[in-house]
Amino acid sequence: MLAKQQRQEIRQMERGAEESGAREFRERVLASGAEAQRNVAPYLEIPVLRRIIKTFTNDTRGDFEKWACNPLVLEMLKRAKSALDEGRLTEQEAETVMIGSLLDGGKASGSGNSSGGSKPGGNSGGKKVRVETNNLVSALNEHVQLRMRGNSLYEQRRFPESLRTYTEALSIVNLVQGTNSGDQREIDKNKTATLMNIGAVHMAVHDFGAAIGTLTEANELMPNHPKLLIRRARAFIGRGEFQKARADVDLVESFEYLDPREISAVQNEINKAEHAAFRAERAIAKAAFSG
């Protein structure tokens, strides 16, 4: 009896959420300009196209009109409607194709190197596309394939190419947003792993500042991951920030998670690097005063 009542309550909550979402979507469309409303009106009666248009309201900057007035997006909607009307595509096929097109557009705008202080992968705080689980699987499969290719390039010490490949993989998880907490956790897990990969590339080319920034971003997404903290500690060593390196290692040690020998190895790295830096400073000071 209790289980039945709970199921009823859950269904009521789901209906309430759907009604609230529908109201919010309607309000966003009506609040947009006349051009945006005219552009999306022909497609709102088709469920799959309405779902796609609804994702435009998930823009973190509230820029629904920019999507609704984008010529490429409108051409995509027009072609999808024509294919559906003529029976050339099912709704599922149309949704998959359109989300794939949006992902391709996100990668094109997000690819490239991450120099100049910007975060790698582009779009990390920009437009998001809410993706249902079945379509998310294909997006994440593509993401993982890119990461594996990046790993291979990294092992070959082809660091610029591996960085571009990892950045392309990152652009996928920066663009998509899960429709439930489980899907979003999977996206965040893959994003964290990719940021750690990018951090490793930066360290390999001795760009320790970029590595620290990237690994710190990963730590914000998945706090206090032991492997992440150890990697960032090594980046701090390369930067000469020994106190921060020790803080990361001490935190990892408190978890009692990693092999103590691995922690000890990093602690020894800190000590050796600090002593080397101290000797170098004394040599510089001696040379300065001996003249």
Short mmCIF file of all heavy atoms in Angstrom, two decimals, residues 75 87 102 104-105 108 161 208 249 258 263 268 283 287:
data_model
loop_
_atom_site.label_atom_id
_atom_site.label_comp_id
_atom_site.label_asym_id
_atom_site.label_seq_id
_atom_site.Cartn_x
_atom_site.Cartn_y
_atom_site.Cartn_z
N GLU A 75 18.01 26.30 -40.68
CA GLU A 75 18.10 25.41 -41.84
C GLU A 75 18.03 23.95 -41.40
O GLU A 75 17.39 23.11 -42.07
CB GLU A 75 19.41 25.68 -42.59
CG GLU A 75 19.62 24.81 -43.82
CD GLU A 75 18.59 25.04 -44.92
OE1 GLU A 75 17.95 26.12 -44.93
OE2 GLU A 75 18.41 24.13 -45.75
N GLY A 87 8.46 11.26 -44.40
CA GLY A 87 8.70 9.92 -43.92
C GLY A 87 10.10 9.41 -44.17
O GLY A 87 10.36 8.20 -44.08
N LEU A 102 24.51 19.65 -33.72
CA LEU A 102 24.81 20.65 -32.69
C LEU A 102 26.15 20.35 -32.03
O LEU A 102 26.93 21.26 -31.74
CB LEU A 102 23.70 20.67 -31.64
CG LEU A 102 22.36 21.28 -32.11
CD1 LEU A 102 21.27 21.00 -31.09
CD2 LEU A 102 22.50 22.78 -32.35
N ASP A 104 28.69 18.80 -33.44
CA ASP A 104 29.74 19.14 -34.41
C ASP A 104 29.99 20.63 -34.41
O ASP A 104 31.13 21.08 -34.47
CB ASP A 104 29.33 18.69 -35.81
CG ASP A 104 29.40 17.17 -35.97
OD1 ASP A 104 30.08 16.54 -35.14
OD2 ASP A 104 28.76 16.64 -36.89
N GLY A 105 28.91 21.41 -34.31
CA GLY A 105 29.07 22.86 -34.26
C GLY A 105 29.80 23.31 -33.03
O GLY A 105 30.64 24.20 -33.06
N ALA A 108 33.49 22.54 -33.41
CA ALA A 108 34.16 23.46 -34.33
C ALA A 108 34.48 24.77 -33.66
O ALA A 108 35.53 25.36 -33.85
CB ALA A 108 33.26 23.70 -35.54
N GLU A 161 49.82 17.55 -30.89
CA GLU A 161 48.69 16.82 -31.48
C GLU A 161 47.81 16.21 -30.40
O GLU A 161 46.58 16.20 -30.53
CB GLU A 161 49.22 15.73 -32.42
CG GLU A 161 49.94 16.25 -33.64
CD GLU A 161 50.68 15.14 -34.37
OE1 GLU A 161 50.03 14.40 -35.13
OE2 GLU A 161 51.91 15.01 -34.15
N PHE A 208 53.91 24.53 -16.57
CA PHE A 208 53.35 24.14 -15.28
C PHE A 208 52.20 25.05 -14.84
O PHE A 208 51.28 24.60 -14.17
CB PHE A 208 54.45 24.10 -14.23
CG PHE A 208 55.52 23.09 -14.52
CD1 PHE A 208 56.80 23.49 -14.85
CD2 PHE A 208 55.23 21.74 -14.48
CE1 PHE A 208 57.79 22.55 -15.13
CE2 PHE A 208 56.21 20.79 -14.76
CZ PHE A 208 57.49 21.20 -15.09
N VAL A 249 49.89 16.93 -1.28
CA VAL A 249 50.36 15.59 -0.89
C VAL A 249 49.86 15.24 0.52
O VAL A 249 49.43 14.11 0.77
CB VAL A 249 51.90 15.51 -0.96
CG1 VAL A 249 52.38 14.16 -0.41
CG2 VAL A 249 52.38 15.69 -2.39
N LEU A 258 46.03 6.08 -1.48
CA LEU A 258 47.10 5.70 -2.40
C LEU A 258 48.17 4.86 -1.68
O LEU A 258 48.30 4.90 -0.46
CB LEU A 258 47.75 6.94 -3.00
CG LEU A 258 46.95 7.72 -4.05
CD1 LEU A 258 47.81 8.84 -4.61
CD2 LEU A 258 46.49 6.81 -5.18
N ILE A 263 53.17 8.16 -2.40
CA ILE A 263 53.16 9.43 -1.68
C ILE A 263 54.58 9.81 -1.26
O ILE A 263 55.01 10.95 -1.40
CB ILE A 263 52.23 9.34 -0.45
CG1 ILE A 263 50.78 9.15 -0.92
CG2 ILE A 263 52.36 10.58 0.43
CD1 ILE A 263 49.81 8.85 0.20
N ASN A 268 59.65 13.00 -1.66
CA ASN A 268 61.08 13.07 -1.96
C ASN A 268 61.35 14.02 -3.13
O ASN A 268 62.36 14.74 -3.12
CB ASN A 268 61.62 11.67 -2.29
CG ASN A 268 61.70 10.78 -1.07
OD1 ASN A 268 61.80 11.28 0.06
ND2 ASN A 268 61.66 9.47 -1.27
N ALA A 283 73.92 30.10 -4.99
CA ALA A 283 74.95 30.32 -6.03
C ALA A 283 74.78 31.69 -6.68
O ALA A 283 75.77 32.40 -6.95
CB ALA A 283 74.87 29.20 -7.04
N ALA A 287 77.48 34.75 -6.43
CA ALA A 287 78.04 35.38 -7.65
C ALA A 287 77.78 36.88 -7.65
O ALA A 287 78.63 37.66 -8.08
CB ALA A 287 77.41 34.73 -8.88
#
